[in-house]
């Protein structure tokens, strides 16, 4: 394969999840439904936290930011996929591909960091309940969210700028339904050593780091819960972090599942199918996990709808 001149490189081809024509209407309906459910569910979470003054607490402040990140995360990939299916075109421009990749990395990293911040919030609430309002003051909460945005943005920009330095070959087909960083790098004809190192370093920083932080927080939480004498007290303490623990487990398990699938099969289409779990299913399920297990969210949503009637 010969390198493509940078001035001639204008577009990539997204192969999607399936090339079977008869499956396209089904995929369009399925992903449109999942996208609408995700956006609506997360918007309702944001609406509930804004409209109910009882939810103006650090936990729900972080939750509303997570919901916003989830909306943006799924919106970087699914709308373009739906347009490609509807127009029967798999083309994405070079600029569009880099932009999509940049925002996907941004909001994926932001999700990971916000989940870590929420784990720290639960640690303070359960292990230091008397000092919770002092420690988790509005200034610290704002700084934690701002730091999460800045770290995720710096990582996204650095990864995207490193891709811009690459020269690509004439084979510009991406066996995925969006411009995934690893897939794009592997299409390059030039040396990708620095890109690979940067990608692995970022994975360790934004995946391994948060995972260690979450595990440390929950090890302290479990120790504190075990020290509670009454069964009712243990249940109440655990229920405050059950939703977050469920979301973290879903996020980590789906991400690990995609990695193991791609490593075991070396099949790009299998990896693309598996990645649906963390790119689409996780943001869609998060609102259900928080609303179904959270009486405060349910009450706030009921009050919001009653107020509009």
């Amino acid at each position: 394969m010969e390198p493509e001149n940078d001035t001639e490189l204008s577009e990539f081809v997204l192969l999607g999840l399936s090339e079977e024509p008869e499956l396209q209407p089904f995929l369009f309906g399925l992903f449109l439904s999942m996208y609408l459910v995700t956006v609506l569910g997360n918007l309702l979470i944001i609406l509930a936290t804004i409209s109910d003054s009882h939810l103006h607490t650090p936990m729900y402040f972080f939750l509303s930011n997570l919901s916003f990140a989830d909306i943006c995360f799924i919106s970087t990939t699914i709308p373009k996929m739906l347009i490609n299916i509807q127009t029967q075109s798999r083309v994405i421009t070079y600029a569009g591909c880099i932009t999509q990749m940049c925002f996907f990395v941004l909001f994926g990293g932001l999700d990971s960091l916000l989940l870590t911040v929420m784990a720290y919030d639960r640690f303070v609430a359960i292990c230091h309940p008397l000092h919770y309002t002092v420690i988790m003051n509005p200034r610290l909460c704002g700084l934690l969210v701002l730091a999460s945005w800045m770290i995720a943005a710096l990582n996204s920009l650095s990864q995207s700028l490193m891709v811009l330095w690459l020269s690509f070959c004439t084979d510009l087909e991406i066996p995925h339904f969006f411009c995934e960083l690893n897939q794009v790098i592997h299409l390059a004809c030039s040396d990708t050593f620095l890109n690979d190192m940067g990608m692995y370093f970022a994975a360790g920083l934004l995946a391994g780091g948060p995972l260690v932080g979450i595990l440390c927080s929950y090890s302290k939480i479990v120790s504190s819960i075990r020290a509670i004498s009454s069964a009712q007290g243990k249940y109440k303490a655990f229920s405050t972090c059950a939703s977050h623990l469920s979301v973290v487990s879903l996020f980590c398990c789906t991400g690990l599942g995609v990695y193991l699938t791609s490593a075991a099969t070396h099949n790009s289409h299998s990896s693309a199918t598996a990645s649906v779990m963390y790119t689409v299913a996780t943001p869609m399920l998060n609102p259900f996990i928080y609303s179904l297990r959270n009486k405060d969210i349910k009450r706030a949503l009921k009050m919001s709808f009653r107020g509009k009637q």
Side-chain angles (χ1 to χ4, degrees), residues 136-260:
M136 300 304 295
N137 57 74
R139 182 174 179 274
L140 178 62
C141 293
L143 287 174
L144 288 173
V145 171
L146 179 62
S148 298
W149 273 94
M150 290 180 65
I151 294 171
L154 287 173
N155 172 59
S156 175
L157 285 173
S158 62
Q159 298 286 350
S160 301
L161 289 173
M162 289 176 72
V163 171
L164 290 175
W165 297 340
L166 298 175
S167 297
F168 290 91
C169 304
T170 53
D171 181 12
L172 299 175
E173 293 184 343
I174 301 175
H176 220 300
F177 62 93
F178 67 95
C179 289
E180 198 265 335
L181 177 63
N182 189 46
Q183 297 286 349
V184 174
I185 289 175
H186 285 167
L187 290 178
C189 289
S190 53
D191 183 24
T192 61
F193 176 77
L194 289 178
N195 298 80
D196 290 332
M197 290 300 99
M199 190 167 53
Y200 295 143
F201 175 77
L205 181 67
L206 296 180
L211 181 60
V212 171
I214 290 170
L215 290 175
C216 288
S217 295
Y218 273 101
S219 66
K220 299 289 186 180
I221 289 172
V222 170
S223 298
S224 295
I225 291 177
R226 290 180 62 185
I228 299 174
S229 56
S230 67
Q232 185 178 1
K234 288 182 178 180
Y235 175 79
K236 185 177 180 181
F238 178 76
S239 64
T240 62
C241 57
S243 297
H244 176 260
L245 187 58
S246 301
V247 170
V248 169
S249 301
L250 181 64
F251 186 82
C252 293
C253 290
T254 51
L256 183 62
V258 172
Y259 173 78
L260 293 176

Side-chain angles (χ1 to χ4, degrees), residues 11-307:
E11 59 189 33
F12 291 94
V13 177
L14 297 171
L15 298 183
L17 294 174
S18 173
E19 299 181 31
E20 300 294 331
E22 59 271 17
L23 280 178
Q24 301 310 307
F26 169 74
L27 290 175
F28 181 85
L30 176 64
F31 281 91
L32 177 61
S33 302
M34 295 174 76
Y35 178 70
L36 293 176
V37 168
T38 302
V39 172
L40 179 61
N42 283 287
L43 280 177
L44 288 175
I45 294 290
I46 296 172
L47 173 66
T49 56
I50 293 175
S51 60
D52 191 343
S53 59
H54 294 95
L55 301 184
H56 293 174
T57 62
M59 182 176 75
Y60 293 109
F61 171 68
F62 297 136
L63 177 58
S64 62
N65 277 273
L66 179 67
S67 294
F68 176 75
D70 280 341
I71 292 173
C72 296
F73 186 53
I74 195 172
S75 295
T76 61
T77 57
I78 301 305
K80 178 57 180 174
M81 177 189 182
L82 295 175
I83 291 172
N84 285 358
I85 294 175
Q86 188 66 22
T87 59
Q88 298 182 354
S89 170
R90 298 176 180 175
V91 171
I92 184 171
T93 64
Y94 176 75
C97 186
I98 298 298
T99 302
Q100 185 185 62
M101 182 182 65
C102 179
F103 282 105
F104 181 82
V105 173
L106 167 64
F107 292 112
L110 182 60
D111 259 8
S112 177
L113 292 168
L114 286 175
L115 287 173
T116 309
V117 169
M118 294 172 76
Y120 175 71
D121 172 71
R122 292 300 83 206
F123 158 72
V124 176
I126 293 174
C127 299
H128 305 283
L130 298 179
H131 302 95
Y132 178 72
T133 55
V134 176
I135 297 173
M136 300 304 295
N137 57 74
R139 182 174 179 274
L140 178 62
C141 293
L143 287 174
L144 288 173
V145 171
L146 179 62
S148 298
W149 273 94
M150 290 180 65
I151 294 171
L154 287 173
N155 172 59
S156 175
L157 285 173
S158 62
Q159 298 286 350
S160 301
L161 289 173
M162 289 176 72
V163 171
L164 290 175
W165 297 340
L166 298 175
S167 297
F168 290 91
C169 304
T170 53
D171 181 12
L172 299 175
E173 293 184 343
I174 301 175
H176 220 300
F177 62 93
F178 67 95
C179 289
E180 198 265 335
L181 177 63
N182 189 46
Q183 297 286 349
V184 174
I185 289 175
H186 285 167
L187 290 178
C189 289
S190 53
D191 183 24
T192 61
F193 176 77
L194 289 178
N195 298 80
D196 290 332
M197 290 300 99
M199 190 167 53
Y200 295 143
F201 175 77
L205 181 67
L206 296 180
L211 181 60
V212 171
I214 290 170
L215 290 175
C216 288
S217 295
Y218 273 101
S219 66
K220 299 289 186 180
I221 289 172
V222 170
S223 298
S224 295
I225 291 177
R226 290 180 62 185
I228 299 174
S229 56
S230 67
Q232 185 178 1
K234 288 182 178 180
Y235 175 79
K236 185 177 180 181
F238 178 76
S239 64
T240 62
C241 57
S243 297
H244 176 260
L245 187 58
S246 301
V247 170
V248 169
S249 301
L250 181 64
F251 186 82
C252 293
C253 290
T254 51
L256 183 62
V258 172
Y259 173 78
L260 293 176
T261 300
S262 59
T265 63
H266 299 286
N267 187 312
S268 298
H269 279 289
S270 298
S271 177
T273 304
S275 68
V276 171
M277 287 304 297
Y278 80 92
T279 58
V280 183
T282 301
M284 182 183 70
L285 293 175
N286 285 355
F288 290 100
I289 293 173
Y290 275 102
S291 60
L292 291 176
R293 300 183 63 91
N294 194 305
K295 294 179 181 178
D296 293 332
I297 292 288
K298 289 181 181 178
R299 187 192 70 249
L301 288 174
K302 288 178 181 178
M303 290 176 62
S304 297
F305 287 121
R306 285 174 184 172

